[in-house]
């Protein structure tokens, strides 16, 4: 179905659904729903973080005129739980920042469209939240630009290694490092590490290239790192800290309470985007000017977080092999038994376009199950790092299980191939047309009382 066709389907279907529900009794709703008193508070709380000027969405819902223009579509997408985008099942587990509408809020959208899209008293309009410029989280202490990248029109799947060098007045500490894409519609994802140089071993952190093409320059990573000038002056290599700055569509970085998580920044260093993935650029040339935000904190760090992953290039294999034949629906899983008590803070499920559903849980030695996450309808476009409201203790000897289902049939509208073709894991290839199955876990070694510590910002 074409994009135009889908839009017409949404509009027409939304009108049909609303017309069909006209006779429903809704005693808990206002006699007449209007924008300023009923719809704007929901939009400002759950939607305009993206749907605003400068936000990640392609249209704004800030004003009455903007919202009224999309009233029918909005009623349909919230009814079908397509928006706000929150793939995780809130009936399975809860996380910080859930973008989920209540049943009543959904009915308000439907009734607003049915009642005639009334504006309401202008003096009842709530204030628009103050959104930070150039960040999803606030005003950063340091902002470092990424070298602008030129993307030719109609190009796709460009994978780059990018170095972002920096030099600070002294060693310091950061609570969070945030990647902000210049063009959200073409930046697909980023996996970024941090390089820490010792003063005596590196005079100039800015030497070497800042961008290397992964397809051309990574016959061996060693040669690519040398081209980027990542080695010390004596030819040795500095300390590399993995997974410091990451980006996926919809991802919002998480600041943990003081003393938990965070990073030590050496006076001389560099961020290494070891996988900056650009998608389709449509029919225009683009210069992408992304940047990195650093939020400082007081050190030292009492409990730096750690990370492991199940599945593709992880601690445990994908079973059976991630080879998905055409016209098949295939379940897979990956399991890992923790060798000591851990406290989980954040989790990140990952699949590509053939993903259909994802579930993860832990089986304790006593047979009890700890729920982690369930995504009944996988959405490749919204892959969050989900942070629990409180740390989740996983006892020693528990087995963490991740289960996924892949749909390689023509019924999967996200299938990149028509007719369906064989798709498999290509040694951890990040191309969207290949497949991956990963479950990334951010954790701490358990300490008594962890399960009572709130992870919500304060």
């Amino acid at each position: 179905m074409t994009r135009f066709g889908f839009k017409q389907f949404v509009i027409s279907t939304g009108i049909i659904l609303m017309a069909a529900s006209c006779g429903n009794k809704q005693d808990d709703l206002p006699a007449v729903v209007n924008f300023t008193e009923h719809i704007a508070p929901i939009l400002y709380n759950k939607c305009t973080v993206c749907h605003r000027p400068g936000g990640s969405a392609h249209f704004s819902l800030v004003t009455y005129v903007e919202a009224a223009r999309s009233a029918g579509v909005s009623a349909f997408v919230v009814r079908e739980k397509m928006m706000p985008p929150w793939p995780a099942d809130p009936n399975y587990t809860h996380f910080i920042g859930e973008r989920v509408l209540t049943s009543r809020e959904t009915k308000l959208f439907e009734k607003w469209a049915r009642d005639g899209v009334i504006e309401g008293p202008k003096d009842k309009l709530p204030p628009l939240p103050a959104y930070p410029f150039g960040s999803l989280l606030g005003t950063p202490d340091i902002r470092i630009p990424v070298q602008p990248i030129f993307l030719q029109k109609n190009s796709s799947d460009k994978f780059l290694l990018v170095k972002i060098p920096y030099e600070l007045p002294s060693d310091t500490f950061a609570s969070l490092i945030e990647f902000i894409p210049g063009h959200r519609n073409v930046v697909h994802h980023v996996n970024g590490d941090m390089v820490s140089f010792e003063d005596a071993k590196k005079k100039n952190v800015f030497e070497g290239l800042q961008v290397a093409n992964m397809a051309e320059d990574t016959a061996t990573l060693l040669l690519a790192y040398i081209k980027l000038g990542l080695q010390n002056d004596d030819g040795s290599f500095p300390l590399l800290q993995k997974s410091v700055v990451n980006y996926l569509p919809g991802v919002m970085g998480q600041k943990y309470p003081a003393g938990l998580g965070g990073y030590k920044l050496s006076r001389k260093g560099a961020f290494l985007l070891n996988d900056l993935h650009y998608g389709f650029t449509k029919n225009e040339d683009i210069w992408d000017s992304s940047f990195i935000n650093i939020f400082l904190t007081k050190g030292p760090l009492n409990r730096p977080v750690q990370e492991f992953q199940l599945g593709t290039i992880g601690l445990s294999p994908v079973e059976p092999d991630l080879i998905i034949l055409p016209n098949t629906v295939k379940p897979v899983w990956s399991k890992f038994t923790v060798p000591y008590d851990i406290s989980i803070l954040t989790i990140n499920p990952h699949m590509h376009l053939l993903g259909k559903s994802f579930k993860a849980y832990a089986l304790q030695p006593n047979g009890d199950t700890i729920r982690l996450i369930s995504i009944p309808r996988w959405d490749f476009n919204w892959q969050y790092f989900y942070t629990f409201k409180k740390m989740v203790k996983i006892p020693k000897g528990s087995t963490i299980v991740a289960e996924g289902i892949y749909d390689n049939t023509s019924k999967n509208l996200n299938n990149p191939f028509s007719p369906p073709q064989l798709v498999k894991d290509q040694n951890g290839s990040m191309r969207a047309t290949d497949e991956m199955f990963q479950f990334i876990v951010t954790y701490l070694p358990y300490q008594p009382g962890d399960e009572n510590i709130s992870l919500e910002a304060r």
Side-chain angles (χ1 to χ4, degrees), residues 95-173:
F95 301 95
I96 292 174
E98 288 180 343
R99 300 176 189 173
V100 179
L101 298 189
T102 65
S103 174
R104 183 178 187 277
E105 289 172 331
T106 298
K107 291 176 182 178
L108 283 171
F109 274 97
E110 293 182 290
K111 194 170 189 299
W112 183 51
R114 192 167 64 245
D115 287 350
V117 195
I118 297 169
E119 181 175 9
K122 293 186 178 181
D123 62 346
K124 299 293 185 179
L125 182 68
L128 185 69
Y131 295 109
F133 175 77
S135 171
L136 297 176
L137 301 167
T139 302
D141 297 287
I142 301 172
R143 177 168 291 160
I144 305 176
V146 178
Q147 177 174 303
I149 307 294
F150 178 71
L151 305 168
Q152 286 187 316
K153 62 182 180 181
N154 298 318
S155 63
S156 62
D157 275 337
K158 181 185 290 291
F159 294 87
L160 302 177
L161 278 168
V162 181
K163 180 187 74 173
I164 303 102
Y166 63 84
E167 188 166 343
L168 305 173
S170 62
D171 292 353
T172 188
F173 300 89

Side-chain angles (χ1 to χ4, degrees), residues 49-50 56 85-87 96-97 99 135-137 176-181 184 187-191 243-256 346-350 378-387 440:
V49 64
C50 295
S56 59
W86 188 261
I96 292 174
R99 300 176 189 173
S135 171
L136 297 176
L137 301 167
L176 180 70
I177 300 168
E178 177 188 36
F179 178 89
I180 297 294
R184 294 177 185 271
V187 179
H188 177 263
H189 74 256
V190 169
N191 295 321
S243 195
V244 168
V245 53
N246 300 292
Y247 171 80
L248 284 166
V251 164
M252 185 177 293
Q254 177 63 43
K255 289 183 180 179
Y256 299 125
T346 299
I347 54 178
N348 172 228
H350 182 60
W378 178 259
D379 190 334
F380 176 73
N381 295 306
W382 302 104
Q383 301 189 46
Y384 298 135
F385 287 84
Y386 296 90
T387 296
I440 303 170

Side-chain angles (χ1 to χ4, degrees), residues 36 48 61 63 95 121 123 145 177 200 217 264 266 280 292 294 304 307 315 332 347 381 394 412 414 419 432 439:
T36 58
T48 54
L61 292 173
T63 69
F95 301 95
D123 62 346
I177 300 168
D217 297 322
K264 179 181 178 180
S266 296
F280 185 54
I292 286 177
I294 301 175
E307 182 181 284
L315 294 174
V332 300
I347 54 178
N381 295 306
I394 307 296
N412 179 358
N414 292 319
F439 184 53

Side-chain angles (χ1 to χ4, degrees), residues 149-155 183 281-288:
I149 307 294
F150 178 71
L151 305 168
Q152 286 187 316
K153 62 182 180 181
N154 298 318
S155 63
H183 281 272
T281 59
K282 296 186 179 180
N283 57 355
E284 60 178 346
D285 294 340
I286 290 175
W287 278 97
D288 177 61

